[in-house]
Amino acid sequence: MIRMSVNRILPLLLLLVLFVSCSRKYKIEGSSSVTSLDGKMLFLKTLQDGQWVAIDSAEVVHGLFKMKGKVDSVMMVTLYMGDEGIMPLVLEDGKIEVSISNTQLTAKGTLLNNQLYEFIDKRNELEVKIEELDRKEARMVLEGVRLEDVHDELMKEGEALAKEMSDYVKGFITDNYENVLGPNVFMMVCSTLPYPIMTPQIEDIMRTAPQTFKQNPLVKDFLSKAKENMRLIEEHKRMEQNAASEASQQ
């Protein structure tokens, strides 16, 4: 029987851990049909301490660009041209195929990028359906449908689509609590708000969120600001109610 002492095994295990932790090699192969990008520099930037920091770059030549490198851990980045953010990407082990056109942005080839752009496509699809309701209203009115019936039908459809969107976004975030997609998609959703605030959807997401998610720096900062804003809103409401009460007693 072949035996190996613990003293010999441990160094091998340490080497294996070191090798695995340093072996995340990304390779980006991009194509663009947008002629104005030719000759331009594209940058991969990540948010560090509130600042966008470039970690890689490439020039677009005849509609093609390539980047490759190593990362210590999986990270979310944004593809930039100058100061303009183009699209999000997940830097992870493997080849990432990026496609840029005037109508669509896609990244595929690795697990998390596939998941991210499936989510983006589905969300865009639902947003188009919601926007279509306005055009449907105009068509129904032109066809002579009673306004009351138009509003009733569109209200039901709108509520159903809004619920489908909310459930889909929540499901995606909760399914990805423990990886970079969860916190970053959460922040993408929060960025559509006029200012940080605790909406029912956000409260629902946070209700089951693990501590690792809540302690993410971006999420933690948003929640802190949102809760402070909620406190200020409640305080403002109380002041208005007190003023109204005093006015009614005079």
Side-chain angles (χ1 to χ4, degrees):
M1 181 181 294
I2 300 175
R3 297 179 182 273
M4 184 175 289
S5 70
V6 173
N7 288 337
R8 292 179 63 187
I9 292 174
L10 282 177
L12 290 176
L13 290 177
L14 290 173
L15 283 173
L16 179 60
V17 171
L18 182 63
F19 176 76
V20 170
S21 66
C22 296
S23 65
R24 291 188 177 89
K25 297 180 181 179
Y26 67 88
K27 182 179 182 181
I28 297 174
E29 294 187 355
S31 63
S32 167
S33 61
V34 182
T35 55
S36 60
L37 285 182
D38 252 18
K40 300 291 177 60
M41 291 296 296
L42 299 181
F43 299 87
L44 289 181
K45 295 185 180 182
T46 186
L47 195 60
Q48 295 180 1
D49 299 324
Q51 300 291 325
W52 286 101
V53 178
I55 58 175
D56 206 343
S57 63
E59 183 181 2
V60 181
V61 180
H62 302 306
L64 301 174
F65 60 94
K66 293 183 179 181
M67 301 181 197
K68 63 180 180 179
K70 296 180 180 179
V71 286
D72 293 332
S73 59
V74 176
M75 67 168 65
M76 181 72 78
V77 297
T78 300
L79 185 65
Y80 269 81
M81 182 182 72
D83 294 326
E84 180 185 356
I86 298 175
M87 60 191 292
L89 295 171
V90 181
L91 277 193
E92 57 183 332
D93 193 37
K95 185 172 77 171
I96 306 164
E97 298 175 7
V98 175
S99 177
I100 301 173
S101 72
N102 287 317
T103 58
Q104 193 174 28
L105 303 168
T106 62
K108 61 182 182 179
T110 59
L111 178 63
L112 295 184
N113 280 296
N114 290 344
Q115 291 180 11
L116 174 61
Y117 277 85
E118 284 174 9
F119 167 78
I120 291 173
D121 286 346
K122 177 65 174 179
R123 189 163 180 261
N124 288 344
E125 178 186 320
L126 289 171
E127 286 179 344
V128 168
K129 288 182 179 179
I130 292 171
E131 291 170 1
E132 176 63 25
L133 291 180
D134 288 337
R135 291 187 285 273
K136 183 175 181 179
E137 179 181 18
R139 288 197 304 269
M140 291 176 72
V141 170
L142 289 173
E143 290 168 0
V145 181
R146 289 194 317 153
L147 283 177
E148 184 178 339
D149 294 337
V150 171
H151 292 156
D152 287 346
E153 181 176 337
L154 294 182
M155 182 177 293
K156 290 177 182 177
E157 289 187 26
E159 289 175 351
L161 285 171
K163 184 179 186 306
E164 184 179 356
M165 172 75 86
S166 179
D167 290 347
Y168 180 66
V169 170
K170 179 197 171 187
F172 185 85
I173 292 172
T174 55
D175 287 346
N176 293 280
Y177 273 148
E178 303 286 358
N179 64 54
V180 297
L181 291 182
N184 282 280
V185 168
F186 175 80
M187 293 307 302
M188 285 169 59
V189 172
C190 293
S191 69
T192 63
L193 298 171
Y195 52 86
I197 191 172
M198 296 299 291
T199 67
Q201 183 189 41
I202 290 172
E203 290 177 346
D204 200 21
I205 290 170
M206 298 311 301
R207 194 170 293 116
T208 56
Q211 282 302 314
T212 51
F213 181 88
K214 294 177 180 178
Q215 292 303 314
N216 176 278
L218 294 176
V219 175
K220 188 176 181 180
D221 182 60
F222 174 86
L223 292 176
S224 175
K225 292 176 179 176
K227 289 175 181 177
E228 176 62 16
N229 286 337
M230 294 299 291
R231 186 188 67 78
L232 293 173
I233 290 170
E234 288 301 319
E235 185 177 324
H236 182 68
K237 284 181 179 178
R238 283 196 300 271
M239 291 175 63
E240 286 186 333
Q241 289 170 354
N242 291 338
S245 177
E246 290 174 2
S248 65
Q249 293 173 4
Q250 291 178 356

